[in-house]
Amino acid sequence: MSNYKVGYFVGSLAKGSLNRKLANALVRLAPDEVEMREIAFGDLPLYSYDYDADFPKVARDFKDAIAAVDAVLFVTPEYNRSIPGGLKNAIDWASRPWGQNSFTRKPSGIIGTSPGAIGTAVGQQHLKSILSFCNSPMMNAIEAYIQFTPDLISDDGVVNSESTENFLRDYMSEFSNFIGRVFTVFPRSS
Ligand SMILES: Cc1cc2nc3c(=O)[nH]c(=O)nc-3n(C[C@H](O)[C@H](O)[C@H](O)COP(=O)(O)O)c2cc1C
């Protein structure tokens, strides 16, 4: 029986996404007390507040999926030194209608991979700013900027580097600890 349900967002919609490989590795390496489930957002239309009075089913289901987890984990690439537009659109949906922000008091973590040397560091700073406004308690450390080298992680999440595997296992363990710490301050929301 898991203690914490973690919903993860893969920021990339690409079929061959490196960040999906990373997410698959994190699912493999999560500690036993953490149950990982993906929260997909690719079918959401572009958000407008015109929808606020009557959210479409796909958006209601999306918000329900966030409500059903204890914490959220963003596994995202950096696009043009920020986060991909699809992920920002999903966050905008989740944050509305006004007064029903899905991220309030929902613990979050951010991790990402890129072939570039700084491994999504700038995009993650943007995401921190967004999640801060959305009132999500974020794990500040361990930071995780993963430079993706060829074959680092297989499609199904097998990590071909012992040091990277150990780091990702530690990251998930610390994220679990962080969720527990948040719950000592805020009541569990699900
Ligand atoms: C529109 C676009 C913008 C990008 N901008 C960045 C960037 O700012 N920093 C970076 O490290 N890589 C950048 N890249 C390269 C991505 O890191 C690379 O495509 C990686 O595979 C994206 O992760 P994904 O495969 O999970 O989508 C960009 C790629 C695209 C398609």
Side-chain angles (χ1 to χ4, degrees):
M1 177 85 180
S2 68
N3 286 339
Y4 303 132
K5 296 185 187 73
V6 171
Y8 65 92
F9 298 76
V10 179
S12 174
L13 299 175
K15 291 186 185 73
S17 166
L18 303 180
N19 284 274
R20 179 164 295 285
K21 298 179 207 282
L22 174 59
N24 290 341
L26 296 169
V27 170
R28 280 176 173 267
L29 298 169
D32 289 345
E33 72 272 14
V34 168
E35 177 199 315
M36 299 280 281
R37 56 173 82 163
E38 182 171 2
I39 299 180
F41 58 81
D43 291 336
L44 289 167
L46 288 178
Y47 173 78
S48 149
Y49 60 74
D50 295 339
Y51 288 111
D52 281 1
D54 185 17
F55 261 31
K57 183 174 185 308
V58 65
R60 281 185 274 120
D61 289 348
F62 174 68
K63 284 177 72 75
D64 287 348
I66 299 172
V69 294
D70 297 303
V72 290
L73 179 63
F74 293 87
V75 188
T76 183
E78 174 180 284
Y79 280 3
N80 298 316
R81 295 286 183 247
S82 185
I83 59 169
L87 179 60
K88 178 59 163 58
N89 182 56
I91 293 171
D92 289 346
W93 274 109
S95 70
R96 292 284 156 158
W98 192 88
Q100 295 174 51
N101 167 19
S102 301
F103 296 116
T104 293
R105 296 186 169 186
K106 183 80 69 178
S108 62
I110 305 173
I111 186 169
T113 189
S114 160
I118 57 174
T120 73
V122 181
Q124 289 193 31
Q125 294 308 312
H126 278 202
L127 183 51
K128 284 181 181 177
S129 177
I130 294 163
L131 292 176
S132 174
F133 184 75
C134 290
N135 198 22
S136 167
M138 275 169 279
M139 183 168 82
N140 293 314
I142 310 170
E143 295 179 299
Y145 311 122
I146 310 297
Q147 184 175 21
F148 202 97
T149 51
D151 301 323
L152 179 67
I153 306 174
S154 71
D155 288 350
D156 56 357
V158 175
V159 183
N160 296 309
S161 153
E162 193 178 340
S163 62
T164 301
E165 183 178 49
N166 289 338
F167 175 81
L168 296 177
R169 189 181 291 106
D170 287 351
Y171 181 89
M172 290 308 298
S173 173
E174 186 53 27
F175 189 50
S176 176
N177 293 339
F178 171 75
I179 297 166
R181 285 197 295 276
V182 172
F183 286 158
T184 65
V185 180
F186 296 131
R188 214 162 168 154
S189 60
S190 59

